[in-house]
Amino acid sequence: MTRFPRRATILAAVLLAAPLGFTLTATAATAAPAAAQAVTTAGHAVAVADVAAAVSKKKKKKKKAAKKPATTKPATPVTTKPVESGSLESEVVALTNTYRTANGCGALRIDARLVTAARGHSTDMVTNNFFSHTGSNGSTFVQREAGAGYTTGASAENIAWGYRSPKEVVDGWINSAGHRANILNCASVAVGVGLAYKADGTPYWTQDFGRV
């Protein structure tokens, strides 16, 4: 046999023996003698220690190449921007004033105290799941306005739920005789509108009027 075929045989034997060194833990301890035996059978005395050293070196490289376990970042909570009701409440006032002035009454001014009373009642209805001019604590709109600092001159209150836009709710009030009478009470000079939403998005509206 020539030198070249023997070199090829040795290379083939080493390639067959080397993968055994990548087995885990206890199996790796028996891999080196098996590898040495495979090489010796080809007619060359390769020391067991040399093969074991090569296996150990490859094991170290394997350990270094091992990837660190991936870490999962906690999901960022999704937040929903709250509805800015102020502009919707102001739009209700604007639509109300358009109807009033078209029917001979002066425009109403927005009074912060009446806004507080109206928002408080809408929130009360949403929180306690009811629909009434009587508050959950038994209060009337007169008492609620006074409690917000509008101590004299309470004149009327309109409420509604389910109307999705300022135009819808104002049209609903205009189409109801009693609510329309409140809007067209020319003795009223101030107003406050409060809007609150239930968890399912249902809007509750309150419109409080005053004479001072």
Side-chain angles (χ1 to χ4, degrees), residues 2-46:
T2 64
R3 293 171 60 190
F4 293 103
R6 287 184 178 179
R7 287 181 180 175
T9 303
I10 292 170
L11 179 60
V14 172
L15 289 174
L16 288 172
L20 297 176
F22 292 100
T23 56
L24 300 176
T25 59
T27 310
T30 60
Q37 182 62 37
V39 174
T40 303
T41 304
H44 294 271
V46 179

Side-chain angles (χ1 to χ4, degrees), residues 18-19 28 34 58 61 63 65 67 76 79-80 83 97 102 106 111 135 156 168-170 172 176 184 200 211:
K58 288 186 177 182
K61 289 183 179 179
K63 288 180 179 179
K67 294 182 179 179
T76 302
T79 55
T80 303
V83 176
N97 281 336
D111 190 292
E168 286 182 5
V169 72
V170 172
S176 167
L184 292 180
D200 62 3
R211 293 191 299 270

Side-chain angles (χ1 to χ4, degrees), residues 8 13 17 20 31 36 46 61-62 69 83-84 122 132 157 168 171 179 191 194 196 201:
L20 297 176
V46 179
K61 289 183 179 179
K62 181 68 175 179
V83 176
E84 295 180 359
S122 290
S132 171
E157 179 179 79
E168 286 182 5
D171 285 347
H179 297 89
V191 70

